[in-house]
Amino acid sequence: MSAKNARTVDMTGDNLLKNIWMFSVPLILTNFLQMMFNAADTVVVGRFAGQQALAAVGATGSLCFLLISLFNGLSVGSNVIIARYIGANRSESISKAVHTSVAMSIASGLFLSVLGFFISKPMLRLMSTPADIIDMSTLYMRLYFVGTFFGIVYNFASSVLRAKGDTKRPLYFLCISGITNVVLNLVFVAFFKMGVAGVAIATVISQAVSAVLVIITLLKETDATRLEPSKLSMDFDMAANIIKIGVPAGIQGMVFSLSNVVIQSSINSFDSSTIVAANSAAANLEGFVYIGIMAFTQACITFTSQNIGAGKYDRVKQIMKSTMTMAVVSAVVLGFAVWIFGDFFLGFYTSEAAVVHTGKIRLLWVAFPMFLNGILDILVASMRGMGISTLPTITMIVGICGVRLGWIWLVFPALGTLQAVYMCFPVSWAITSIIQMIFWFKGHKNLLAHAF
């Protein structure tokens, strides 16, 4: 076996379950390490910069994700299109898709860095960010968005590697980037006492490291995914194909994030840095519950895309069922563990008993039932892998965002408790999963009808 083949997974061959697992394990490790490094950020801030700094960083999370979501969606479109061409063995189309994707990432990253820098404080004000942390939150966001250029380039470029079944090298790059981030956090925050600015600068540098590593890798590839600077341009037909899949996914992420911004605003309305800090720490822990879901979702969309490109339409349902089973099992096990041992895990983030107690409320209502989110995400990934992107976006907007916003505007004011805020998560997951399942069966039926 060549070195190239040793790094990739055969998505269209036999032993589907084994190949899904081989593809997903590096992603699980990648996601786990990413969560560990993010947790390290939060722990360093909470331990060395104090509760207000922890709250300041936590208050920016949903807003940062809102602004980045559209461009992350485009990287999903890139992954789907490249995987499909790889499955069909169309070398010229693969090359065009790779160069178009990288060109799009550069343009998108520059635009978002400038936009995020200038709208940070006005957006934080709209979210009712507590007055005692808004200046720190603004500083963190502005520095953070300088680094989004590198983050977006990395996402697009690593999607090229994943599209051909290579999930190992992105893991190696993340290890290097993450270790860099943790070391710089300790240097900037614990030693130089730079607070939230130190965390943000460390993040920018670590993202730049990962982006450089993955671009160097693409420059050295020997197949059709090789990046050649002289060919770096945007093929408009290829861009249109990427946008067709990616924009609905990005819009879904933006609207999804908008609902989370409203939820964050509801949390901010209690005007308590304790609650904001507890929410930040618990939300960070939830990332560990989500690591399996993320990995198997990526496996679902990539395997589905390659098999459709290879004309193996009959494997789509099997891919969906296999990845859903894995995603649900992982979420159930991890969700239960995080909730049961919540006091222990939250203790890493803060020594404040009130913050730990409040954080456990979110773990009960969001982390514990997160397997429902796994069901939903796999259905959406499978549909996107089939080339159906607009319908699941509409369903998510109506089901997730509509239910959550309705809940926050109608149920939360009547109950007025923190628990009432968090209940909107499992309710929206359950309702939207049922709707999405109905549309998945219709989309799959249409796919088979056109294929045979």
Side-chain angles (χ1 to χ4, degrees):
M1 181 180 288
S2 68
K4 171 180 176 294
N5 289 334
R7 288 193 296 261
T8 60
V9 174
D10 182 5
M11 301 187 197
T12 59
D14 296 331
N15 298 318
L16 183 61
L17 282 174
K18 176 184 175 182
N19 290 335
I20 288 175
W21 183 249
M22 289 176 62
F23 178 91
S24 301
V25 167
L27 284 176
I28 292 173
L29 294 174
T30 299
N31 295 335
F32 177 76
L33 288 174
Q34 184 68 67
M35 292 302 105
M36 286 291 290
F37 295 140
N38 289 343
D41 286 358
T42 310
V43 170
V44 169
V45 171
R47 289 289 184 176
F48 295 101
Q51 178 178 310
Q52 282 194 325
L54 175 62
V57 174
T60 67
S62 56
L63 183 53
C64 290
F65 191 71
L66 168 65
L67 296 175
I68 294 171
S69 292
L70 177 61
F71 304 102
N72 282 343
L74 289 175
S75 70
V76 172
S78 173
N79 177 265
V80 170
I81 296 301
I82 294 171
R84 187 166 298 180
Y85 287 138
I86 290 173
N89 198 28
R90 294 171 56 182
S91 297
E92 184 177 349
S93 296
I94 294 170
S95 180
K96 283 185 180 179
V98 168
H99 289 91
T100 297
S101 296
V102 174
M104 290 177 70
S105 73
I106 293 172
S108 300
L110 290 173
F111 171 77
L112 185 57
S113 292
V114 174
L115 176 67
F117 183 89
F118 285 105
I119 71 171
S120 294
K121 192 160 191 175
M123 292 294 288
L124 286 167
R125 283 175 174 162
L126 285 175
M127 291 174 62
S128 303
T129 303
D132 60 341
I133 63 173
I134 191 169
D135 288 337
M136 283 192 291
S137 294
T138 301
L139 174 61
Y140 176 82
M141 279 194 66
R142 285 176 172 170
L143 291 172
Y144 177 88
F145 273 106
V146 172
T148 56
F149 169 79
F150 301 109
I152 288 174
V153 170
Y154 173 80
N155 284 340
F156 272 81
S158 61
S159 73
V160 175
L161 297 178
R162 289 195 302 271
K164 62 180 182 178
D166 182 0
T167 53
K168 293 180 181 178
R169 284 182 289 181
L171 170 61
Y172 305 150
F173 303 152
L174 179 67
C175 286
I176 297 170
S177 171
I179 291 171
T180 302
N181 190 28
V182 171
V183 171
L184 291 179
N185 270 332
L186 291 171
V187 171
F188 293 153
V189 180
F191 185 74
F192 287 112
K193 308 297 182 183
M194 294 173 65
V196 296
V199 177
I201 293 170
T203 299
V204 171
I205 294 173
S206 64
Q207 287 185 330
V209 168
S210 62
V212 169
L213 288 173
V214 74
I215 289 296
I216 290 174
T217 298
L218 291 181
L219 289 170
K220 293 183 177 181
E221 291 296 88
T222 57
D223 57 16
T225 62
R226 181 182 179 183
L227 179 65
E228 300 178 54
S230 61
K231 295 183 180 179
L232 194 60
S233 63
M234 205 174 297
D235 182 276
F236 290 104
D237 289 336
M238 191 64 68
N241 289 332
I242 293 172
I243 289 170
K244 182 180 178 181
I245 301 293
V247 165
I251 291 174
Q252 172 190 306
M254 290 185 69
V255 179
F256 187 87
S257 299
L258 181 60
S259 70
N260 288 337
V261 168
V262 174
I263 292 170
Q264 181 69 51
S265 298
S266 299
I267 292 168
N268 292 346
S269 70
F270 289 96
D271 198 24
S272 167
S273 59
T274 296
I275 290 178
V276 176
N279 183 75
S280 173
N284 197 280
L285 272 179
E286 286 161 20
F288 289 98
V289 182
Y290 195 65
I291 59 175
I293 296 175
M294 280 195 291
F296 296 121
T297 295
Q298 184 63 59
C300 181
I301 195 169
T302 309
F303 272 73
T304 301
S305 300
Q306 271 213 25
N307 278 274
I308 288 179
K312 298 184 177 183
Y313 301 94
D314 56 317
R315 291 162 61 97
V316 170
K317 187 174 183 179
Q318 185 182 356
I319 292 168
M320 186 275 288
K321 291 170 65 177
S322 298
T323 52
M324 182 180 290
T325 300
M326 294 177 181
V328 168
V329 170
S330 70
V332 168
V333 172
L334 294 173
F336 182 75
V338 165
W339 177 59
I340 288 294
F341 300 105
D343 293 273
F344 173 75
F345 290 125
L346 288 167
F348 283 103
Y349 297 86
T350 179
S351 58
E352 297 287 336
V355 175
V356 172
H357 174 75
T358 307
K360 283 202 72 176
I361 297 173
R362 175 165 178 135
L363 294 180
L364 173 62
W365 288 102
V366 186
F368 188 63
M370 193 173 284
F371 68 91
L372 295 170
N373 193 13
I375 295 172
L376 178 60
D377 282 4
I378 292 295
L379 291 170
V380 172
S382 181
M383 293 183 75
R384 292 223 164 92
M386 288 188 277
I388 307 169
S389 192
T390 301
L391 182 59
T393 296
I394 294 172
T395 306
M396 292 288 275
I397 291 173
V398 174
I400 291 289
C401 302
V403 170
R404 289 183 185 178
L405 295 179
W407 187 278
I408 292 298
W409 290 333
L410 299 175
V411 179
F412 169 59
L415 299 178
T417 64
L418 188 59
Q419 289 89 332
V421 176
Y422 294 139
M423 286 168 63
C424 71
F425 285 94
V427 170
S428 62
W429 288 332
I431 292 173
T432 313
S433 292
I434 294 171
I435 299 171
Q436 202 72 263
M437 180 68 78
I438 294 171
F439 286 129
W440 184 90
F441 278 108
K442 290 184 177 180
H444 183 250
K445 182 178 180 181
N446 290 336
L447 174 71
L448 296 179
H450 285 89
F452 298 106

